[in-house]
Amino acid sequence: MLNVPAQSFPASGSQQRVASSGAGRNKVVLKPGHSLMDWIRFAKSGKDLTGLRGRLIDVTPEELEKHNRRDDCWTCIRGMVYNVTSYIDYHPGGEDELMKAAGLDGTDLFDQVHRWVNYESMLKECLVGRMALKTPANQGKGRLIKRHLLFTYRYDWFQTDAAVHLVIYTRRKVITHRKPTRRCDSLSLFSHPTMFSFTVNTASSVGKIQLTMRKLTKGKWATLGQPLEHHNTFLCKKDRAVFYRDCVLLSKTEVNYNTQVFRLQCPQGTIIHVPVGKHVYLKACIKDTEVVRPYTPVDQRLAAGPDPPSQEPDLYLMIKVYPDGVFTQHLNSLQTGDHISVSGPEGSFSVRLLRDVTHLFLLAAGTGFTPMARLIRLSLQEIDTIRKTKLLFFNRREEDILWHKDLDELAAEDERFQVEYVLQEPPGLCSNSRTGGVDEAVLRETLVRPHGSRCFVCVCGPPTFTELTVR
């Protein structure tokens, strides 16, 4: 019997996973008139949602604990306290999920399920105040206690009169699908008075990244400099707020009748490398409210083509546009040259889980295919141990299949890759397909474990699909 690894993909706490087991949440059916937009209108109605008539207070842990009932519910997220009593009926995860954080610091629970949500904007009318921090008894007068530990990365640097070379050792293999050399206009990392252009090279097998920086003014630097103020990359990731950059929409390419690939260009001097299995958040202001959604980047094409990859480190996001989707309708309305806020990479999946794997099974439904696209390419081009990669792709109709032609061509060209489509409606000319849905019979027939093999299964799709598959 095929074992599903305990740390499945996407990870249970990842926002790539539309539904998850354990710590994840399930969406509930909300009452009519309790959608996100309904909450936005209600929050802006002028009603006093805190019960404090506009006052902000310092809240002690003892005071917070008192407000732990359905009709009097306070919670704390990153040091800020909110009265979420009015929000309970609007919460997509339902009352039970929200009440888990009643009267408590709910930061960890919040991050497990929807770290990407802009709670500050959504709950700003519910803000009670700030948590009152106690001074530790052993804290000396005038002594500062640091809240975060600094990571110490090992690096070397050397220079000539014209350039500086910074070599960073990551202590893990660096996987990249693009040509490793990058050129940008400037690097805003160290507070040195000189600005410079730079090139990035990676030695993937040893986990080394080298930045070669050309000085605009020739001469020797006495020191490399210090990290710039507000650059918080030395914080533990769990303590670091999601940081967004302003990207430009370069193009929209149609995949099928309701899905497009959005190509986004990063700001000058910025490279956003999103590892396989990770995702980014897009943020936009819609009707005076910030709305955030997670999306998994794909490569420019499914398989390596004859042309060299683009030198530009652009992001490609395959996104289905829903008729009633607040965010996707906004994205669809954007024109070339418009701007959108994009976060850095998020997620807990690591390709190290695929070490020594011989057979990789990918089960995807709808746009749950997006994290699988890069996994397919990774397994065929960069992981020598994987002898077979099989994609079982579930859709309603044949025209819903994303990158249908590309998948068929890849399967025909590479015997290590196999794809089968499972359609709810009878297929037309699609030969490698069957009619049905996700059930035990389909999974038993598909997930066959060869003798002596080491198998790994990745699942991504809508809530019901993910639950039935993992179960």
Side-chain angles (χ1 to χ4, degrees):
M1 181 176 179
L2 184 67
N3 293 321
V4 179
Q7 185 172 356
S8 52
F9 173 75
S12 59
S14 169
Q15 288 311 307
Q16 287 174 257
R17 189 167 180 167
V18 181
S20 52
S21 58
R25 67 162 182 170
N26 294 319
K27 284 192 174 183
V28 301
V29 178
L30 298 174
K31 301 175 185 177
H34 286 76
S35 68
L36 171 61
M37 298 311 298
D38 290 321
W39 166 252
I40 293 172
R41 284 190 288 269
F42 179 71
K44 294 182 177 180
S45 65
K47 294 184 179 180
D48 180 12
L49 303 186
T50 65
L52 298 175
R53 298 182 180 180
R55 293 184 300 115
L56 295 179
I57 63 174
D58 289 337
V59 182
T60 64
E62 293 77 17
E63 180 65 24
L64 178 63
E65 290 176 4
K66 296 176 183 177
H67 303 271
N68 61 358
R69 304 190 311 273
R70 170 64 176 80
D71 60 347
D72 182 18
C73 183
W74 291 11
T75 191
C76 174
I77 304 177
R78 293 192 176 87
M80 307 305 291
V81 179
Y82 299 89
N83 184 343
V84 295
T85 308
S86 301
Y87 179 67
I88 291 177
D89 289 334
Y90 295 85
H91 184 235
E95 175 183 337
D96 291 344
E97 288 296 313
L98 196 56
M99 289 303 294
K100 291 178 181 178
L104 303 170
D105 187 329
T107 303
D108 288 342
L109 289 172
F110 176 84
D111 285 346
Q112 287 174 14
V113 181
H114 39 212
R115 164 180 157 84
W116 51 277
V117 171
N118 191 337
Y119 64 92
E120 293 172 308
S121 174
M122 186 175 296
L123 299 177
K124 62 183 178 182
E125 302 300 332
C126 302
L127 181 62
V128 171
R130 186 185 300 273
M131 283 296 296
L133 301 178
K134 291 184 176 180
T135 304
N138 61 348
Q139 183 174 345
K141 184 176 181 180
R143 181 184 175 191
L144 296 177
I145 294 182
K146 295 183 179 180
R147 295 181 60 193
H148 306 289
L149 294 177
L150 294 179
F151 284 120
T152 54
Y153 293 101
R154 189 165 66 90
Y155 70 90
D156 297 323
W157 73 286
F158 54 96
Q159 63 176 315
T160 63
D161 284 342
V164 172
H165 305 273
L166 174 64
V167 182
I168 303 170
Y169 304 95
T170 66
R171 296 183 297 181
R172 65 179 60 182
K173 183 177 179 180
V174 179
I175 295 180
T176 176
H177 295 303
R178 300 188 178 107
K179 189 175 180 180
T181 301
R182 298 284 179 263
R183 294 190 182 277
C184 297
D185 291 335
S186 64
L187 178 67
S188 299
L189 177 62
F190 295 98
S191 54
H192 199 281
T194 306
M195 296 297 293
F196 38 76
S197 63
F198 73 97
T199 303
V200 179
N201 290 279
T202 60
S204 60
S205 60
V206 295
K208 184 174 73 173
I209 301 173
Q210 179 172 316
L211 283 71
T212 298
M213 300 165 281
R214 181 176 56 84
K215 301 176 183 177
L216 293 185
T217 303
K218 291 186 177 182
K220 295 292 186 179
W221 291 358
T223 64
L224 188 59
Q226 298 295 324
L228 291 175
E229 187 179 2
H230 306 307
H231 281 229
N232 63 351
T233 53
F234 292 120
L235 297 180
C236 293
K237 186 173 182 179
K238 66 182 181 64
D239 296 324
R240 189 191 314 158
V242 178
F243 181 78
Y244 291 89
R245 295 169 176 85
D246 194 34
C247 295
V248 177
L249 176 63
L250 292 183
S251 65
K252 293 188 289 186
T253 305
E254 184 178 284
V255 179
N256 63 11
Y257 68 97
N258 64 1
T259 304
Q260 300 188 72
V261 172
F262 293 74
R263 181 180 179 181
L264 304 178
Q265 183 183 58
C266 301
Q268 289 186 338
T270 299
I271 296 174
I272 302 179
H273 171 67
V274 183
V276 174
K278 301 298 177 78
H279 55 274
V280 297
Y281 301 125
L282 301 190
K283 180 175 69 173
C285 186
I286 304 174
K287 295 183 179 180
D288 299 324
T289 299
E290 287 185 347
V291 183
V292 183
R293 294 290 184 271
Y295 294 103
T296 306
V298 296
D299 288 320
Q300 188 173 3
R301 58 179 69 91
L302 182 63
D307 300 326
S310 171
Q311 291 286 327
E312 299 299 328
D314 300 330
L315 287 177
Y316 296 85
L317 301 175
M318 185 182 291
I319 298 174
K320 179 178 179 179
V321 179
Y322 295 90
D324 57 348
V326 173
F327 197 83
T328 57
Q329 284 295 327
H330 171 78
L331 287 178
N332 197 41
S333 70
L334 296 178
Q335 302 298 316
T336 301
D338 288 344
H339 292 246
I340 186 77
S341 295
V342 182
S343 78
E346 297 284 337
S348 57
F349 180 79
S350 172
V351 295
R352 287 180 293 174
L353 294 170
L354 302 180
R355 287 183 302 185
D356 303 324
V357 169
T358 60
H359 289 70
L360 179 62
F361 295 92
L362 309 175
L363 309 182
T367 51
F369 165 73
T370 55
M372 308 306 184
R374 296 182 69 199
L375 273 173
I376 292 171
R377 189 167 182 170
L378 177 77
S379 66
L380 298 178
Q381 297 184 12
E382 300 197 27
I383 304 181
D384 297 333
T385 60
I386 297 180
R387 300 196 296 266
K388 175 69 73 173
T389 298
K390 181 168 184 178
L391 170 67
L392 195 61
F393 199 178
F394 295 79
N395 286 279
R396 183 179 299 277
R397 298 168 299 182
E398 186 173 343
E399 53 263 38
D400 293 324
I401 301 174
L402 303 174
W403 276 353
H404 189 177
K405 180 182 177 181
D406 302 77
L407 289 169
D408 287 345
E409 289 179 351
L410 182 60
E413 295 170 359
D414 197 325
E415 61 181 10
R416 295 172 300 159
F417 176 67
Q418 182 180 353
V419 59
E420 183 175 359
Y421 308 106
V422 182
L423 306 174
Q424 293 183 17
E425 297 182 7
L429 302 176
C430 188
S431 58
N432 53 334
S433 65
R434 66 172 77 185
T435 304
V438 57
D439 55 39
E440 186 175 353
V442 171
L443 296 181
R444 282 186 177 275
E445 182 179 342
T446 303
L447 305 181
V448 178
R449 181 174 188 171
H451 178 71
S453 65
R454 179 177 173 83
C455 301
F456 194 88
V457 182
C458 300
V459 180
C460 192
T464 303
F465 171 83
T466 307
E467 292 169 4
L468 289 174
T469 306
V470 174
R471 189 184 305 162

